[in-house]
Structure formats: structure tokens, C-alpha cells
Amino acid sequence: MLFDFEKELKELPGKPGVYIMKDANETVIYVGKSKVLKNRVRQYFKPGGNKGVKVNSMVSHIASFEYIVTATEVEALILENNLIKKYSPKYNIMLTDDKTYPYIKLTSDEMFPRVFMTRQRGKDKAKYFGPFTSSTMVKENLEVINNVWQLRRCSKKFPRDIGKERPCLNYHIGKCLAPCTGRVSEEEYKIHTDRVEDFLNGKQDKILKELEEKMLKASEDWEFEKAAKLRDSIAAIKKLGEKQVVEDMADCDRDVVGVARANGDDVVQVFFIRGGKLVVREHFMLSYPEECGRAETVENFIKQFYGGTPFVPKEIFTSVEIGDKAVIEEWLSEIKGRKVSLVSPKKGSKLKLCKLADENALVLLDKFGEEFKREQRRTTGALEEIKKAIGAGFDINRIESYDISNTQGFESVASMVVFEGGKPKKSDYRKFKIKTVYGANDYASMEEVLTRRFMRYKNETAEKTEKPKFNILPDVLFIDGGKGHVHIAEQTLKKLGIGVPVCGMVKDSRHRTRGLIYGGKEVLLPPNSEGFKLVTRIQDEVHRFAIEYHRRSREKREFHSVLEDIKGIGEVRRKRLIKRFGDIEGIKRASVDELTAVEGMDSRSAEAVFDFFHKKVYKNSENL
């Protein structure tokens, strides 16, 4: 049925909400929000007016629209942000980076607290410092902490484990107070954790003064080795402080957002300031439609970036005034739990800092613009090529790929690797040891692995597991194999009620990537295309991950089998038997004479093997 624009426009409510524009293929091409839906949506379809190239192009492709009413404009903003991430509409500005930022965590629920790096900010009583966009910066801070305050790094439980074992190497090299020995009290240890907290909060002047006093006293007492160590610690803290210093900044948490535009590209540069000091800076690439202004770019960046990061600073500086300022401030304040301000400085050092962020963004764009483009072609561009090649009616962002590895049917394992946005996401890689399949049966092994993986998904989703590992569905599965492998995967998913498309990755006679199997047909990608190269990278990566896991398993149980349980059958004879008969079933079927004929086997050993399998010592394949 044709969409009745006139009727639908009349029925638009005068309430806040989100509107969703679709083209003739029902594909979402734009998502927007409004305080009054009927006023905002009608504007798109009014004749005349200078709407700009972007809006005119979008309107020409709108075949229908729908809307979702919300209680407040802030709710509309949140929903708009979520829908943009879900649909990646053509005419919305999109943040192309997908990063997980590291924090430094100081535990508080342990008898002797620890400090370490984490990328997950839990809802616990621990203290989190960051986020840092550079893991190098985190490691430098932790190195100083370990050298100066010597907090423990082990996972022992106290007081249960006090005095049970000797102290570890860290104690002997002066990097741990060794609370496991009972040599340090909770009160003494707390002094160290308090200093660590001061250090991470940027209170370095107080710490440096205290360390300098200790160094002088050690020198006066002729404890020169101790004084030298304190001198080195002071130098390390000062050096770290020099990297973080920004002049004329108040003692607060603040982000400064700059933007540069050139040749159809946008780069956003962010200065992350914590405790009045620049801890690190980071850049982000954005894809945007034509005729979008700098203010619109910055506004969309703020909504998407801070909607996905667990930390929101007290202030966000921008060099341009953005629209919906009051609504965005209200939304960010709700996320943080206290007031957040969006500031566009007009003069002084704050304006200079904003201009510095803009200049840094421009330098990055000039220097690395082509490199950014190449990276986009290798990742999101390659995904788009694959989507077009297979004729997929869905967007591809998350790909899960599977491969089976074994040696003559022994130690069968499987690997699962994940690519998001065209890049490997190693934190989501998973390994499987095949449990129910005996021998080299790739189809049955694949069925087992997919069943286990997607049953975990269903269970974790239903039970709302606190720390899920399989709670995300991929957009498509890439199976290392041909039509048979694809068929098994599709049948397994169908049984489980999981609607995820499956592609097979096929190889040529020289074991090199040839193309994809999708919809029962082989799809050949141009060998020089980015899509082909991405498929090759995925295939190589899942194979590498499976082989590495298999090798480690094999090293633990070097060709382990039931043969090791037979008296007189050592490693050499075991390998020769496997080589001669192929597998356990072949050995089981062999006669005493056939066993004796194997190099190195005498009649006694052959009879021992035969008796093992035929006198009910060998029960079933579960013993393997």
C-alpha cells in the first residue's frame, strides 16, 4: 500500500518524540528527535525554503515515516541516540570509532586493596580513575604505583591466606609489601592506599613533598640505597606529571572537544582533563552527509560518544555553540548524577584551549587524512562491499567466525573469532574443546559448538547473567568451509530458533581464500577488493586461533589416548599404531597378527593391546 503522507502528517501529535524516515525498501535513512513532532516533521515536506542539499536529498528518498512519542525531550534524545546506533542511517552523522576505555581500579572491599587496569566499570564500591584512552598511560601510572607504594597484585583472599605461602618475587624485588606474610598491618597498608588515591586524583605536590622529606632523612641516616630509590620515584612522578600538565586549568574534570573538516572528512579531537591536568588526548573519525555544519558534527559526536562511555566530566568545552544545549545538559546530568555543563568559551585561556583542540584536529586531518580513509575502506568499506556482493538485506557490523581443528580425530577443538566494524574484537574470542564427538567429524563438531554457543546466549539472556560472555548475537556467521558446513550451521540455528544468516568461506585448490557461500550459491569477490581482503583476514584469523588452541591442547596431552593406559605401549609404539591403523577404531578392529606386524611391536605387546579392547577393559569412546 502507498503511504498516505497527507493523512499521516495531519495525525502527528504535538508531543516530544523521535521520527524515523524510510526509503522505498523500508530502510531507515534518517532518525531525528523533536520537542513537538507535528511541527518538526511537517517542515521537511513544506514546499520552498532553503532546506540545504542534505535535507533535499533525504526528502527525495523518503517513502514513509513513523514516530515514537516520549514523555520528555530528554527521553527523545536518548531514544534517538539508540536508534541511530541500531540503524546507522545514511543521512545521520555517525561516529565510526568503537573503543573501550581503560580505567585504573582501586578495590575497597578487600582486607588489603589492590590497584589494576580494567576496561569494565562495575557497580561496586571500588574507586575508578579515568577513563584513559591510552593503555600506555595506565601502565606508566601503575608502574609508578608499584615502585613507590608496593600494593599487592595477587588474587589471594585475606585473612584466609595469611602465612600459608612464602612471599612472591614482587616482595623480594621491592614491589610488594607482602601482606600474605602478616608483616604489614591493615593500618600501615591503608597509608599506602591513601597515597595511591591521592596520586591518582592528581595531588602530586603533597606526595612529592612527603617523598622528598623521606629522601633527605634517608640520606642523613646514610641509607643511600633507600635515598636513591626515593630519588628515582620522585623523578618518575615528576616526569609523569610533566606529560599531564596544562596551564591555567582549574582543578576539575573537563573534556575539550575540537573539530576539523577538509575534503569531506571530519576529525574530532578530544582533550581529556582530569584533576586539572591533561591526562591524554584522542581523535575520532566521523562519517557525515553533505551540508552538515561544524556545530551539528560536534552535537552528534557528544550525543553518541557520551551516550556510550561510563564517565561524563563536569564540563565539556566546545569551540562552537551547539543546538539543543539545554536538553543535552539535562541528559548528561542524569547520566552523571550531578550537573554537567556544555560551555563555548568566548575569551581567555579557555577559548585558547578550544582553539588548540581545533588546531590539533586539523593537524591530524592534514597528516593522516588519507590514512583514515584507507582504514575506513579496510573496515566499514569492506563490510559494505561484502553486503552488496552477497545481496544481503541487512547491515553487517558484527561477524562471528568458526573453525574446527584436530589431528587425526584427536584433541578436536573449535575457535570463535569476532570482527566488529571490520576489526578483530579479541575480547570476544572464544575457544571450545569438543566434548561429544569422537574422531574427525567436522560437521558434528560444528553442530556441537554452535549449539553450545547459542544455548549460552539464550540462557544468559533469559537469566540476565551478571557477567555474560555470549549475550550478543552476530549479524552474520562466517563458517570456514563449503556448502556442507553452511547447511549444518543453518540447520543447527534453525533448531535453536536463532535467525542469524550464515556464510561459508571457501578456499581454492591451493588452500587460499576463493570466495563466500551464501544462499546456496558461491559468491566471488574481486581479489583486489577490500571485501575480499577482509574475508581473507577473518579466515586466516579463525584458522590461526584454532591451530594455536589445538597446539596448546596437544602439548598438554601429546597425542594422549587410551593407548597410554596399556602396559608396554609407550610414546613410540603409540604413534606407530596410530600411523598404521589411523585411529582407535582401526586399532580395535586389528587382529593380534596385524598388531604384531607393526614396527617395534612384539607378540606380548600386541596381545596386551588386543586384550585391552576385547576383554571389556575398553568400555566406550567416552574414555578417550
Side-chain angles (χ1 to χ4, degrees):
M1 295 179 62
L2 292 176
F3 188 79
D4 192 336
F5 280 93
E6 187 174 345
K7 177 186 175 183
E8 294 295 333
L9 288 170
K10 285 181 180 179
E11 293 179 354
L12 283 164
K15 295 181 178 180
V18 172
Y19 54 93
I20 304 165
M21 304 297 192
K22 299 181 178 181
D23 63 13
N25 297 320
E26 288 290 302
T27 301
V28 176
I29 59 175
Y30 186 75
V31 175
K33 66 122 183 93
S34 176
K35 189 175 183 179
V36 183
L37 280 169
K38 67 178 181 180
N39 295 343
R40 183 72 185 97
V41 178
R42 285 175 179 173
Q43 288 178 356
Y44 288 104
F45 303 99
K46 283 184 178 179
N50 184 18
K51 297 186 180 73
V53 175
K54 167 197 166 184
V55 176
N56 287 332
S57 175
M58 180 189 73
V59 172
S60 69
H61 288 88
I62 296 175
S64 64
F65 67 81
E66 58 183 83
Y67 54 87
I68 302 171
V69 175
T70 59
T72 66
E73 194 176 0
V74 172
E75 286 184 13
L77 186 149
I78 296 170
L79 180 58
E80 176 199 31
N81 195 32
N82 291 337
L83 291 176
I84 288 173
K85 289 181 179 179
K86 179 179 179 180
Y87 293 114
S88 300
K90 178 180 179 180
Y91 291 97
N92 283 97
I93 295 174
M94 291 300 299
L95 175 63
T96 61
D97 298 73
D98 183 16
K99 301 178 179 179
T100 304
Y101 297 98
Y103 288 78
I104 292 179
K105 178 178 180 178
L106 179 62
T107 62
S108 58
D109 58 347
E110 298 177 300
M111 184 175 178
F112 295 101
R114 295 172 294 145
V115 62
F116 52 87
M117 182 175 80
T118 179
R119 292 184 182 271
Q120 301 293 329
R121 184 167 182 173
K123 295 180 179 179
D124 51 27
K125 295 180 181 180
K127 294 177 180 177
Y128 293 86
F129 302 89
F132 297 84
T133 53
S134 166
S135 58
T136 300
M137 181 65 73
V138 173
K139 291 172 183 175
E140 288 178 351
N141 277 276
L142 290 176
E143 182 66 22
V144 170
I145 290 169
N146 292 331
N147 287 332
V148 179
W149 294 287
Q150 305 163 23
L151 301 191
R152 72 181 180 99
R153 283 177 274 177
C154 64
S155 57
K156 292 179 180 178
K157 302 295 182 183
F158 298 113
R160 184 193 70 186
D161 293 335
I162 292 178
K164 284 192 174 181
E165 296 178 6
R166 291 180 297 175
C168 64
L169 179 62
N170 286 325
Y171 167 74
H172 294 291
I173 62 175
K175 291 191 175 183
C176 180
L177 294 170
C180 58
T181 63
R183 296 173 184 174
V184 58
S185 67
E186 284 188 76
E187 291 74 21
E188 291 176 290
Y189 195 90
K190 188 176 184 306
I191 294 173
H192 289 251
T193 57
D194 289 345
R195 294 296 178 269
V196 169
E197 190 174 343
D198 287 341
F199 169 72
L200 292 172
N201 279 321
K203 299 176 182 179
Q204 295 182 359
D205 292 341
K206 173 184 175 182
I207 292 169
L208 288 171
K209 183 178 179 181
E210 183 178 300
L211 291 176
E212 285 169 353
E213 289 174 354
K214 288 183 177 179
M215 179 184 69
L216 290 172
K217 186 176 186 306
S219 180
E220 290 171 357
D221 293 342
W222 289 29
E223 295 178 316
F224 298 119
E225 187 174 340
K226 181 179 178 181
K229 188 175 180 180
L230 288 165
R231 177 202 62 202
D232 294 341
S233 298
I234 291 167
I237 293 172
K238 285 182 176 179
K239 184 177 180 181
L240 200 58
E242 287 170 1
K243 292 184 179 182
Q244 300 172 336
V245 164
V246 174
E247 294 181 358
D248 301 323
M249 297 304 298
D251 185 13
C252 70
D253 295 336
R254 174 183 295 145
D255 288 355
V256 183
V257 180
V259 65
R261 323 191 77 195
N263 302 319
D265 295 313
D266 268 3
V267 169
V268 171
Q269 173 81 65
V270 185
F271 291 163
F272 296 92
I273 297 168
R274 302 292 178 260
K277 295 181 179 180
L278 177 64
V279 294
V280 78
R281 62 181 184 176
E282 187 60 279
H283 66 269
F284 303 86
M285 283 293 295
L286 294 111
S287 61
Y288 68 96
E290 295 179 1
E291 296 297 314
C292 289
R294 294 176 76 248
E296 189 177 355
T297 295
V298 173
E299 178 182 339
N300 277 274
F301 169 79
I302 288 173
K303 289 191 289 188
Q304 293 186 54
F305 177 70
Y306 292 103
T309 181
F311 181 83
V312 178
K314 182 180 178 181
E315 296 176 332
I316 300 172
F317 282 10
T318 64
S319 58
V320 292
E321 290 279 359
I322 64 173
D324 290 332
K325 176 182 174 182
V327 177
I328 295 173
E329 283 182 333
E330 184 181 349
W331 168 58
L332 292 175
S333 298
E334 286 183 6
I335 294 175
K336 185 172 180 64
R338 56 180 294 185
K339 182 173 176 55
V340 175
S341 301
L342 293 176
V343 182
S344 299
K346 304 301 180 187
K347 60 181 181 178
S349 59
K350 295 177 181 178
L351 177 60
K352 289 180 181 178
L353 194 61
C354 288
K355 288 183 175 180
L356 182 63
D358 286 343
E359 289 171 9
N360 274 267
L362 185 59
V363 168
L364 283 167
L365 194 55
D366 289 341
K367 189 174 181 180
F368 300 111
E370 284 303 316
E371 187 176 321
F372 293 154
K373 286 182 180 179
R374 283 195 298 272
E375 181 64 15
Q376 279 190 297
R377 287 196 294 269
R378 289 181 71 251
T379 54
T380 54
L383 291 173
E384 193 63 29
E385 286 183 13
I386 293 171
K387 175 184 174 181
K388 290 179 180 178
I390 65 176
F394 52 89
D395 289 329
I396 299 175
N397 179 54
R398 182 183 174 95
I399 297 172
E400 285 184 11
S401 185
Y402 294 82
D403 189 21
I404 307 294
S405 180
N406 60 66
T407 300
Q408 297 178 342
F410 292 99
E411 292 294 336
S412 289
V413 299
S415 65
M416 167 186 138
V417 303
V418 178
F419 276 63
E420 279 193 2
K423 301 176 183 178
K425 189 176 183 183
K426 295 192 175 184
S427 60
D428 284 4
Y429 284 17
R430 297 291 181 264
K431 298 175 289 190
F432 300 85
K433 185 179 285 291
I434 305 302
K435 298 178 178 179
T436 63
V437 180
Y438 167 66
N441 189 333
D442 281 5
Y443 291 170
S445 298
M446 185 63 68
E447 182 178 6
E448 178 193 323
V449 169
L450 294 180
T451 300
R452 287 164 58 188
R453 184 265 183 263
F454 288 103
M455 281 303 298
R456 283 286 299 273
Y457 162 77
K458 296 177 78 171
N459 293 337
E460 289 180 355
T461 303
E463 297 168 6
K464 297 181 180 179
T465 307
E466 186 175 344
K467 293 183 178 181
K469 293 183 178 181
F470 293 91
N471 67 325
I472 301 175
L473 281 180
D475 298 312
V476 63
L477 294 188
F478 275 20
I479 305 297
D480 191 41
K483 290 184 179 180
H485 292 82
V486 172
H487 177 72
I488 288 295
E490 288 176 337
Q491 290 301 309
T492 304
L493 295 179
K494 186 177 180 180
K495 288 178 187 176
L496 296 170
I498 302 293
V500 176
V502 181
C503 280
M505 298 182 291
V506 290
K507 296 179 180 179
D508 60 21
S509 58
R510 300 176 66 180
H511 211 65
R512 298 178 304 185
T513 301
R514 186 173 77 205
L516 294 172
I517 296 286
Y518 181 69
K521 298 179 181 179
E522 184 168 331
V523 179
L524 296 179
L525 294 157
N528 293 326
S529 68
E530 293 297 341
F532 180 88
K533 293 174 184 175
L534 177 57
V535 173
T536 302
R537 289 197 296 274
I538 294 172
Q539 195 167 33
D540 290 345
E541 179 68 356
V542 70
H543 187 63
R544 176 199 65 79
F545 195 52
I547 290 296
E548 283 188 1
Y549 180 40
H550 180 253
R551 184 182 296 118
R552 286 196 295 270
S553 299
R554 195 173 66 242
E555 287 171 354
K556 290 180 180 178
R557 288 177 55 190
E558 184 65 29
F559 290 102
H560 178 73
S561 71
V562 292
L563 299 179
E564 289 188 352
D565 297 329
I566 305 174
K567 187 177 180 180
I569 303 301
E571 182 179 350
V572 174
R573 284 176 172 170
R574 178 160 37 90
K575 288 183 178 180
R576 287 173 178 171
L577 286 168
I578 291 294
K579 184 177 180 180
R580 169 65 180 82
F581 298 104
D583 55 24
I584 294 298
E585 289 299 317
I587 299 171
K588 182 181 176 183
R589 290 192 297 267
S591 66
V592 174
D593 290 339
E594 289 172 328
L595 292 168
T596 306
V598 175
E599 182 184 358
M601 292 285 290
D602 54 28
S603 59
R604 181 181 296 179
S605 299
E607 287 173 359
V609 172
F610 186 88
D611 290 344
F612 181 83
F613 289 113
H614 296 277
K615 292 189 176 180
K616 298 184 180 181
V617 178
Y618 174 81
K619 294 180 181 179
N620 54 50
S621 62
E622 291 179 359
N623 292 329
L624 297 178

